[in-house]
Amino acid sequence: MKRIVIAFLIAAIMILGACSTVFAAEADPNLTIVNPVADTPVNSTSLLISVKITKPETIRTTVLKETVTTQSAIAADGTASETRVVTWNSVFESENFTTTTNLSFYTKKLENIANGNYIVRVDTIGSDGKVQYQTSRSVTVEEKASDTEVFSNNSSGTVNNFLQSLLKSIFGN
């Protein structure tokens, strides 16, 4: 009977431990990543991070960049295989930012950002110095699309021609 009780206690501790680990990794309800906007690629070489905090808290912001490498291996039977390895490398980590008001914003502009996939992660730090919540947002940085000329001669359409004529009359050539 003692073995059954001990086994039950061990199972309960393992289940509760797994649940508490999952709970610690959920997003902070008092924190919103305002920028970068969800599911919107960034077409710039700079990345603006903006976090809204609606309760006195301490946060730390980290930006991770995806790096993909391919590793080739040849098995003993001579067959070749390739493995795609994805790693996330830190490109920015802020100092702790502490707010004492019920509405604050943390902003940071990162310059010279290369094209690729990034994760913006905001950790909410408790008074004991441990991470209580992790809030994250993925973002893709792409090449800036070429700007089209407003006064180009090859634009077609009546509306475009009207707008071009109007703008030319107001601002000149």
Side-chain angles (χ1 to χ4, degrees):
M1 182 68 175
K2 286 184 181 180
R3 287 184 183 173
I4 294 173
V5 171
I6 292 173
F8 177 77
L9 287 175
I10 290 173
I13 290 170
M14 291 176 72
I15 291 171
L16 291 175
C19 290
S20 66
T21 302
V22 171
F23 177 78
E26 72 182 48
D28 187 345
N30 301 307
L31 188 138
T32 304
I33 298 175
V34 178
N35 203 42
V37 178
D39 303 321
T40 303
V42 173
N43 296 317
S44 175
T45 59
S46 62
L47 179 63
L48 178 65
I49 300 166
S50 181
V51 180
K52 180 175 93 172
I53 309 161
T54 59
K55 177 182 154 191
E57 292 187 319
T58 299
I59 64 167
R60 180 178 50 237
T61 305
T62 306
V63 178
L64 305 165
K65 184 178 189 313
E66 178 186 48
T67 304
V68 179
T69 56
T70 305
Q71 296 177 346
S72 299
I74 298 177
D77 63 356
T79 59
S81 65
E82 288 188 354
T83 305
R84 183 176 180 247
V85 179
V86 177
T87 56
W88 294 91
N89 301 313
S90 178
V91 294
F92 170 76
E93 186 168 331
S94 72
E95 299 290 323
N96 287 357
F97 173 78
T98 302
T99 178
T100 57
T101 63
N102 286 331
L103 180 60
S104 294
F105 286 89
Y106 169 83
T107 58
K108 178 68 177 176
K109 184 176 181 181
L110 302 178
E111 298 286 345
N112 301 320
I113 297 294
N115 293 344
N117 295 322
Y118 292 84
I119 291 179
V120 175
R121 186 182 76 208
V122 181
D123 298 332
T124 304
I125 311 296
S127 59
D128 59 357
K130 294 182 181 178
V131 175
Q132 292 180 328
Y133 296 103
Q134 280 189 348
T135 307
S136 62
R137 166 87 38 92
S138 60
V139 62
T140 301
V141 176
E142 299 176 345
E143 276 189 45
K144 187 174 181 179
S146 63
D147 295 330
T148 57
E149 247 186 79
V150 175
F151 298 117
S152 65
N153 292 331
N154 58 0
S155 295
S156 61
T158 308
V159 174
N160 278 343
N161 290 337
F162 172 75
L163 288 176
Q164 284 181 9
S165 298
L166 179 64
L167 289 172
K168 283 181 182 179
S169 67
I170 294 171
F171 297 109
N173 289 333

